[in-house]
Amino acid sequence: MKVKTKPTKENTYRKMLKEIVQENPFSTDDYFQTLFPPQVVIETTCACNQHCTYCGRSYMERSKGNMTRATFGKIVHEIALESPLTDVLPAFMGEALTYGDELFARLAMARRLGCQKIVLNTNGTLVEKYISQILAGNVDRIIISCDAHKPETHQKVRPGEKTGGLEVVYRGVHALTAAMKQRGLDKPFVEVGFTVFDENEQEVDDFVAYWQDHGVITKTHPKGYHAGVIPGGEFRRSVGPDRIPCGWVRDTAVVLWNGNVVLCPCDAEAKYVAGNIETQSLREIWNGPLKWIRELHHRRRFADLPEVCRKCPDWQSRTSNVFFPDEARKKQYIDYVQLGKPVVHSSSTATPPPKVD
């Protein structure tokens, strides 16, 4: 993660993209196998009120549904027991806030069980409606994906019926931060995100400057292709010496609505299923097939990876640029993110992995 304070005119997106491509957690030989995933993404629901042009959900053909409360409870109970400072993210290929009060009941369950880092990803269209629930103490970070600074661009890249568009998203962010200020709250951390692609690249600098002026943490990301589900990205495919190990597989487990645990957050179509949470523990799956995939990345044996991983173009898209309105908020955020590093052991003692078909 590259951290920055307020941007200057020199901080154009093309300069940031160069920095993103060059920076990766695996750029050195320092590497550890974690005993439990530092992040767990839970597909609480596949419902969504937008049809984004770059989202894997808009292209995927796998079945969609809602996770049962019992399955969700099993996952967060294990997280609380094994690694209570693991990030819990209750959204994957769906908009979590469309689940309404049921979502917040599940977040409250996770908190009661002992999960200490709950991160809500949202498209922002329903933030204003649920401000009271968001500020009830069960959300530690909220990441609001905007991906535009002009309403017409937002409608182009994030189309959706009766969502109110970018105006509603911005109004929700302002209402949320105002409510926090009125109540004297410094959490949740409020972040606005901007994934950059051709249609919106010219707006990224104005977006960052606007939200920095309003005291909101701001992130920019390079475009991802969800392991090839989204068209394009062929130019990034490689198994040669130019490829570097991917940060997505290193730190994140993803549990789909039906309990399947897939390769990583890029595997929207669930082309690689490592196990199912109904019959296995998350720790068991993390230290089983997924462990060997992490080892193959570490050893740069990219040609031996499963096809979906071998051909994935998203190994360059893990790092974000993060801008902070001031140094104090930057320190608070970094301290929070670094809180509770999981117990690790060096991979140097591991048995060499078998070839993966």
Side-chain angles (χ1 to χ4, degrees):
M1 178 178 69
K2 193 172 185 67
V3 294
K4 298 175 181 287
T5 52
K6 287 189 177 182
T8 63
K9 290 184 179 179
E10 292 78 29
N11 287 328
T12 62
Y13 174 68
R14 292 207 178 274
K15 179 182 177 183
M16 290 189 288
L17 179 60
K18 183 178 180 182
E19 294 170 346
I20 289 171
V21 171
Q22 290 177 344
E23 182 178 340
N24 185 283
F26 281 100
S27 59
T28 71
D29 290 331
D30 295 332
Y31 173 74
F32 296 95
Q33 279 281 12
T34 59
L35 300 177
F36 198 82
Q39 290 190 129
V40 178
V41 173
I42 305 172
E43 191 174 63
T44 309
T45 180
C46 292
C48 192
N49 56 359
Q50 292 186 329
H51 191 77
C52 302
T53 58
Y54 61 89
C55 178
R57 184 187 181 281
S58 300
Y59 301 87
M60 72 185 194
E61 298 178 357
R62 67 174 170 87
S63 62
K64 303 179 180 71
N66 298 325
M67 181 177 285
T68 67
R69 186 180 287 201
T71 300
F72 184 91
K74 183 179 187 293
I75 298 166
V76 295
H77 185 252
E78 182 181 357
I79 293 171
L81 289 176
E82 292 278 0
S83 180
L85 289 169
T86 278
D87 287 316
V88 178
L89 295 88
F92 185 42
M93 292 293 110
E95 169 52 48
L97 287 179
T98 62
Y99 222 16
D101 291 336
E102 177 62 23
L103 169 70
F104 293 103
R106 295 187 185 192
L107 300 187
M109 176 204 304
R111 184 71 91 204
R112 286 195 306 271
L113 288 170
C115 296
Q116 298 180 35
K117 298 178 77 173
I118 299 174
V119 184
L120 179 60
N121 284 290
T122 174
N123 62 30
T125 57
L126 296 171
V127 165
E128 190 173 20
K129 178 179 179 179
Y130 290 111
I131 286 177
S132 294
Q133 291 94 324
I134 292 169
L135 299 183
N138 300 317
V139 178
D140 300 297
R141 290 170 60 200
I142 180 168
I143 304 170
I144 302 165
S145 299
C146 302
D147 305 330
H149 192 55
K150 295 179 180 179
E152 59 271 24
T153 305
H154 187 267
Q155 180 59 31
K156 182 184 297 184
V157 300
R158 283 185 165 269
E161 295 182 5
K162 300 179 181 179
T163 61
L166 187 64
E167 179 183 353
V168 168
V169 177
Y170 274 36
R171 192 174 69 213
V173 180
H174 286 304
L176 177 61
T177 55
M180 291 177 61
K181 184 176 181 180
Q182 183 180 27
R183 302 182 192 189
L185 301 175
D186 60 2
K187 286 177 68 176
F189 291 99
V190 179
E191 307 167 29
V192 291
F194 194 110
T195 300
V196 185
F197 29 85
D198 293 344
E199 294 87 345
N200 64 4
E201 182 178 346
Q202 70 280 3
E203 299 173 26
V204 65
D205 292 328
D206 290 339
F207 175 85
V208 173
Y210 176 86
W211 286 113
Q212 291 292 278
D213 287 343
H214 286 85
V216 178
I217 298 168
T218 313
K219 288 186 175 181
T220 63
H221 319 266
K223 180 179 179 179
Y225 296 88
H226 283 285
V229 172
I230 300 173
E234 289 81 5
F235 67 98
R236 287 187 186 169
R237 291 178 177 171
S238 173
V239 294
D242 58 318
R243 181 166 178 170
I244 53 178
C246 180
W248 293 115
V249 299
R250 181 193 69 164
D251 63 7
T252 307
V254 180
V255 188
L256 303 188
W257 68 273
N258 60 3
N260 283 343
V261 177
V262 296
L263 180 68
C264 74
C266 299
D267 190 8
E269 193 68 278
K271 294 181 179 179
Y272 184 95
V273 177
N276 189 284
I277 204 70
E278 301 291 351
T279 58
Q280 301 164 275
S281 69
L282 185 56
R283 181 183 177 119
E284 178 185 359
I285 299 169
W286 182 253
N287 289 287
L290 295 181
K291 175 180 178 180
W292 294 125
I293 291 175
R294 297 195 299 276
E295 285 289 334
L296 289 171
H297 272 269
H298 172 55
R299 301 175 191 206
R300 290 171 167 76
R301 287 172 50 182
F302 303 119
D304 294 333
L305 289 167
E307 182 178 13
V308 62
C309 195
R310 184 172 68 251
K311 294 184 177 181
C312 179
D314 294 325
W315 52 273
Q316 290 185 350
S317 66
R318 181 64 176 90
T319 304
S320 304
N321 277 266
V322 188
F323 300 86
F324 296 91
D326 54 63
E327 290 296 323
R329 196 57 170 162
K330 174 180 175 180
K331 184 179 185 307
Q332 289 176 332
Y333 182 86
I334 292 176
D335 287 346
Y336 166 81
V337 169
Q338 293 180 342
L339 184 65
K341 292 290 186 181
V343 177
V344 296
H345 68 274
S346 173
S347 66
S348 62
T349 59
T351 303
K355 181 178 176 64
V356 179
D357 295 326

